[in-house]
Amino acid sequence: HIRTIEMQAKVAMTRAKLLDDFSSYQEALEALQVQLMVQEVNYGSVSIEVAATLNNLAWLHNKTLAIDLALIEVERAIAIREKILGVWSTGLVTPLINQAGILKSADKLDEMLASISLALGLGWADRSYKEKLALFDLLSTYAQAVNNPQAAIYFSKRAAEMALTGGRVLRLAN
C-alpha cells in the first residue's frame, strides 16, 4: 500500500514539474501530503524518505507562493538529513539548493547566499547539471541584488555556458 501511495505522489510531482501550472501543483501537494503521513507512520518522522517528501513539498509550496510553509518544510528536511547523514554530507546539497530558491522568493538574499555557499562547499563536482545551473542562477540574482554587475554577468555567463554545453563547464570569454 505504501509503495502505491509513493508511486502516485511521484507521478503527481513529475506531472507538476512538467506542466508547471497551479492545478498540477495542487494535485501534487495533496498526493505528497498523503505520502508524508503514510511515511511518518511507516518509517518514523526521522527518515530519508520523509526528508525527501518534505523537500518536494517545500518546492511545491514555493511555487504556489506559500513561502513561510516552504521554509518550515525545507528546514525540517535539512535537519532530518543532517541527523541521519551528518552535517557534511553531500546528501544535503539538493535541499540546500531548494532552500536557497525559497529564500530568493522570500527576498532573503543574505540567507540565500549562506545556503548556496554551504551547498557549494559540500560537493560541487558531484552535483547534477540542473543543480549547478540553479546555483549559478541564484548567485547571479544575489550579485544583482547587492549591485555587483560584474559578478552578475560572470554568473549569468557560467549559467549560459552550462546550458550550451549540457553541463560541461568550459570557459567563455569574460
Side-chain angles (χ1 to χ4, degrees):
H1 183 66
I2 188 169
R3 295 291 172 221
T4 303
I5 290 170
E6 288 175 340
M7 184 57 71
Q8 289 169 339
K10 186 175 185 174
V11 168
M13 185 68 182
T14 302
R15 188 168 185 257
K17 286 182 176 181
L18 290 173
L19 295 178
D20 197 29
D21 66 30
F22 190 79
S23 64
S24 64
Y25 295 151
Q26 287 304 117
E27 179 186 328
L29 280 168
E30 291 169 15
L32 285 171
Q33 287 164 341
V34 170
Q35 177 180 343
L36 180 63
M37 287 188 294
V38 171
Q39 285 176 331
E40 286 180 326
V41 168
N42 285 284
Y43 303 127
S45 60
V46 178
S47 70
I48 292 298
E49 295 84 0
V50 166
T53 301
L54 285 166
N55 191 56
N56 286 334
L57 281 166
W59 183 85
L60 286 164
H61 278 123
N62 187 36
K63 286 290 196 177
T64 60
L65 303 179
I67 306 301
D68 291 338
L69 189 52
L71 282 171
I72 290 167
E73 290 163 341
V74 77
E75 287 167 6
R76 186 171 163 217
I78 291 168
I80 290 169
R81 283 179 176 263
E82 284 178 344
K83 186 172 187 168
I84 295 169
L85 303 172
V87 295
W88 297 110
S89 170
T90 58
L92 294 168
V93 175
T94 299
L96 284 167
I97 292 169
N98 191 24
Q99 181 184 48
I102 295 164
L103 290 166
K104 174 185 172 185
S105 297
D107 202 32
K108 296 181 177 183
L109 300 180
D110 288 335
E111 292 175 52
M112 179 192 83
L113 184 61
S115 291
I116 292 168
S117 298
L118 186 52
L120 288 171
L122 289 175
W124 175 256
D126 296 335
R127 296 302 92 212
S128 72
Y129 163 71
K130 280 178 56 177
E131 289 173 321
K132 289 177 183 176
L133 200 56
L135 284 170
F136 280 131
D137 179 56
L138 291 166
L139 287 167
S140 177
T141 298
Y142 181 78
Q144 290 169 7
V146 296
N147 199 23
N148 187 337
Q150 291 147 331
I153 290 168
Y154 172 82
F155 291 122
S156 293
K157 281 184 177 181
R158 296 295 81 80
E161 177 180 283
M162 288 192 66
L164 291 171
T165 64
R168 293 183 318 277
V169 177
L170 305 174
R171 288 285 173 212
L172 295 177
N174 291 327

